[in-house]
Amino acid sequence: MLDIAFAKPAVPKAGALVLLVGEDEAPSGLWQQADLATGGAVARAIAAAAFKGGKGKSVSIPGPGAGLSRIVICGIGKRGDVTERGLEEAGGGIAAQLATETIVAIDAGGMSPAQAASLAMGATLRAYRFDRYRTKEKAEDKPKLAKLTVLADDAAKAKAAYSPLRAVAEGVFLSRDLVSEPPNVLNPAEMADRCKKLTSLGLKVEVLGPKEMAKLGFGALLGVAQGSVNEPRMVVMHWNGAGARKGKQKKLAFVGKGVTFDTGGISIKPAGGMEDMKWDMAGAGTVIGLMAALAGRKAKVDAVGLVGLVENMPSGNAQRPGDVVTSYSGQTIEVINTDAEGRLVLADVLWYCQQKFDPEFMIDLATLTGAIIIGLGDEYAGLFSNNDMLSERLTAAGKETGELLWRMPLSDAYDKQIKSDIADMKNVGGRPGGSITAAQFIQRFVNSKPWAHLDIAGTAWSSKDHPTTPKGATAFGVRLLDRLVAEHYEG
Ligand code: BES
Ligand code: MN
Ligand code: ZN
């Protein structure tokens, strides 16, 4: 992780210096000092580039003198319009632009401690890289940025404000690591082992294997798992930071789809792009990262995270189209398409969660349908919920963190599409409204309890860089749900 430090504003002796400039602002303290130290290089560059501080605009001065490798002047737009997310994006942009520098200092003079911390958070999130399996990369090709100092008026307060954010970033990185891992390495057992490591953060972690799940009657989850030689697992992670309020508030519950590889099973997927299905465990990856974040920042809540971990493979022992399975809830399911496996996994884990914990709410995350990508692309995740208040809170937390949600409908009319002729329901409802019928299916395993389902198939992985997310695994949902908890359930 990027080494972040906070210090009083001063022109550094070496490395790169980033000056943040608001639109149409007069030169501030550090800007003038840097200009003086470099014999007017800053003023000259600003004039030559007709730079006015517009958001996203920047001017770079390589070798400006005074021992500095570079000065970058970044516009942040009108001061009054600057949001927390805008500062994160600015920080992320700086980390990307200056990836070849070793040490960077950002001038956050005139900003609040929280704003300085947001800049640091953005830079931290963008500087992530998964390079475990690169053995031959030359040193000069690797990003060099190792240390970033945020120059803040009250450095101690800014550092304190960054501390919980850093814990959240750790959770984001854990999630990104899990999602990035290749599927031969990260099978269900390995994923459960990585969950167990979270006990070091103070989480209680319980792992159930196929025997325990068979005893409970997890027919839906086990039907998916039966085609693979890699055994399934269910992991229950418990963070209890509620302290004195313990027992006064019900547990918050988060449930994730963890299909470590989805071939489609007997209803096998086409070869092109199938490698993407290594990230079909991203819902579980988010839940695990979230639990690490809550524990890491010692959130004052009682929360459980449950993940259903399976591999969906075709084999002589695999589930067939036409099979009927009995879920843990007792409801029977006709499996028309073995590629609609995520909902089968979630059915048993959600029912278990509800029976065992009677939580305040349940929020599940899943890379559930290709149809949500057709509907919303990769900008918004689909939100399905039986509860308006929970939906509003989630949507607001999404706007604040840049992890956007769009609410989709649920209704009995769609539910009819999953009627079966021989069982209580079938696992697919045809192409029309494919993401909605998937959500209707899941809803059958939720009693009237407040529940939200996030279909993250479009947002869990990115083919291009974003301001605070390099391309690849995004950890979508970790920051959003951490924010939801912080804003509404820790009071
Ligand atoms: N894991 C897939 C959904 C998916 C597709 C995630 C693309 C990420 C990118 C899911 O298990 C699946 O295969 N869904 C099917 C459902 C269909 C058979 C009703 C789909 O969307 O095609
Ligand atoms: Mn599938
Ligand atoms: Zn899947």
Side-chain angles (χ1 to χ4, degrees):
M1 184 175 293
L2 189 57
D3 179 9
I4 299 276
F6 294 89
K8 278 227 160 303
V11 177
K13 302 252 174 312
L17 171 64
V18 180
L19 299 167
L20 298 177
V21 178
E23 200 163 329
D24 298 326
E25 257 174 24
S28 74
L30 203 53
W31 178 359
Q32 282 169 328
Q33 283 177 38
D35 192 48
L36 212 62
T38 58
V42 175
R44 276 197 303 277
I46 286 177
F51 175 84
K52 296 205 169 53
K55 193 177 169 201
K57 298 268 187 291
S58 75
V59 180
S60 179
I61 317 167
L68 297 172
S69 59
R70 182 180 295 273
I71 292 178
V72 178
I73 307 151
C74 280
I76 54 169
K78 293 229 170 7
R79 286 268 168 186
D81 298 343
V82 172
T83 60
E84 176 189 2
R85 181 67 193 145
L87 287 168
E88 285 175 4
E89 292 187 349
I94 289 162
Q97 196 184 344
L98 297 175
T100 54
E101 299 284 340
T102 322
I103 340 169
V104 170
I106 308 180
D107 175 25
M111 290 190 186
S112 70
Q115 288 179 317
S118 294
L119 275 171
M121 180 62 163
T124 301
L125 291 172
R126 180 62 185 272
Y128 172 83
R129 197 161 184 252
F130 185 76
D131 52 13
R132 235 186 171 183
Y133 299 102
R134 296 176 191 254
T135 67
K136 295 200 162 158
E137 199 175 29
K138 294 194 196 84
E140 66 259 34
D141 295 334
K142 284 197 202 301
K144 289 176 197 63
L145 182 57
K147 179 161 183 176
L148 186 134
T149 305
V150 179
L151 306 172
D153 300 331
D154 192 334
K157 276 208 179 121
K159 188 177 176 193
Y162 177 66
S163 161
L165 304 187
R166 189 195 147 93
V168 176
E170 298 269 14
V172 167
F173 289 3
L174 171 61
S175 174
R176 289 182 187 169
D177 283 350
L178 291 169
V179 174
S180 303
E181 283 286 4
N184 59 328
V185 172
L186 197 81
N187 57 37
E190 170 65 19
M191 207 165 157
D193 284 347
R194 297 209 187 173
C195 292
K196 272 195 215 146
K197 294 203 176 118
L198 295 182
T199 50
S200 65
L201 290 174
L203 283 159
K204 273 205 322 211
V205 181
E206 190 191 351
V207 179
L208 277 71
K211 287 202 188 74
E212 286 112 328
M213 289 191 275
K215 231 185 189 162
L216 285 164
F218 277 27
L221 183 151
L222 291 170
V224 177
Q226 77 189 30
S228 175
V229 293
N230 292 310
E231 286 183 356
R233 297 283 186 270
M234 178 175 73
V235 182
V236 183
M237 291 158 280
H238 184 191
W239 165 248
N240 192 350
R245 291 187 305 119
K246 191 181 168 188
K248 292 199 185 118
Q249 190 186 50
K250 286 184 168 182
K251 287 182 174 57
L252 311 181
F254 303 93
V255 174
K257 166 181 172 181
V259 177
T260 61
F261 196 76
D262 180 13
T263 64
I266 295 297
S267 314
I268 198 163
K269 289 180 181 295
M274 202 201 273
E275 68 280 5
D276 282 350
M277 286 301 110
K278 77 169 183 182
W279 46 266
D280 209 20
M281 36 56 70
T286 296
V287 169
I288 296 164
L290 171 69
M291 295 308 289
L294 294 177
R297 68 173 181 81
K298 305 214 173 335
K300 293 185 189 59
V301 282
D302 191 1
V304 283
L306 292 87
V307 293
L309 309 175
V310 302
E311 186 177 52
N312 188 21
M313 295 292 263
S315 80
N317 196 41
Q319 164 161 270
R320 292 148 291 255
D323 282 4
V324 173
V325 295
T326 303
S327 67
Y328 179 45
S329 72
Q331 300 176 92
T332 57
I333 305 160
E334 183 186 9
V335 179
I336 298 292
N337 189 319
T338 64
D339 197 11
E341 84 296 340
R343 61 198 77 179
L344 297 168
V345 173
L346 287 174
D348 283 343
V349 181
L350 278 167
W351 192 261
Y352 177 87
C353 177
Q354 183 172 259
Q355 294 303 301
K356 174 108 183 183
F357 299 113
D358 183 31
E360 171 83 17
F361 63 61
M362 293 198 289
I363 298 175
D364 78 76
L365 299 104
T367 47
L368 204 64
T369 65
I372 204 71
I373 309 176
I374 304 301
L376 297 176
D378 55 10
E379 300 296 335
Y380 284 77
L383 160 64
F384 300 83
S385 180
N386 59 3
N387 188 285
D388 291 343
M389 187 176 80
L390 187 56
S391 294
E392 278 157 27
R393 289 178 170 184
L394 280 164
T395 304
K399 280 190 190 143
E400 288 165 24
T401 55
E403 295 181 339
L404 301 172
L405 300 176
W406 196 262
R407 193 169 179 187
M408 304 282 284
L410 289 164
S411 93
D412 289 346
Y414 292 107
D415 199 68
K416 291 194 179 69
Q417 284 176 236
I418 54 170
K419 269 191 178 157
S420 161
D421 291 334
I422 74 158
D424 298 338
M425 71 195 87
K426 56 184 180 182
N427 76 330
V428 292
R431 277 167 62 82
S435 303
I436 307 173
T437 52
Q440 293 290 163
F441 181 96
I442 295 170
Q443 192 176 18
R444 289 186 179 213
F445 299 87
V446 174
N447 290 330
S448 41
K449 186 158 290 303
W451 154 78
H453 155 61
L454 310 185
D455 192 336
I456 59 169
T459 54
W461 187 271
S462 177
S463 53
K464 55 182 194 292
D465 290 337
H466 287 279
T468 58
T469 318
K471 73 176 182 186
T474 63
F476 185 100
V478 173
R479 303 190 58 220
L480 158 80
L481 296 174
D482 173 73
R483 182 63 60 100
L484 173 83
V485 172
E487 256 169 24
H488 300 287
Y489 301 96
E490 289 187 64

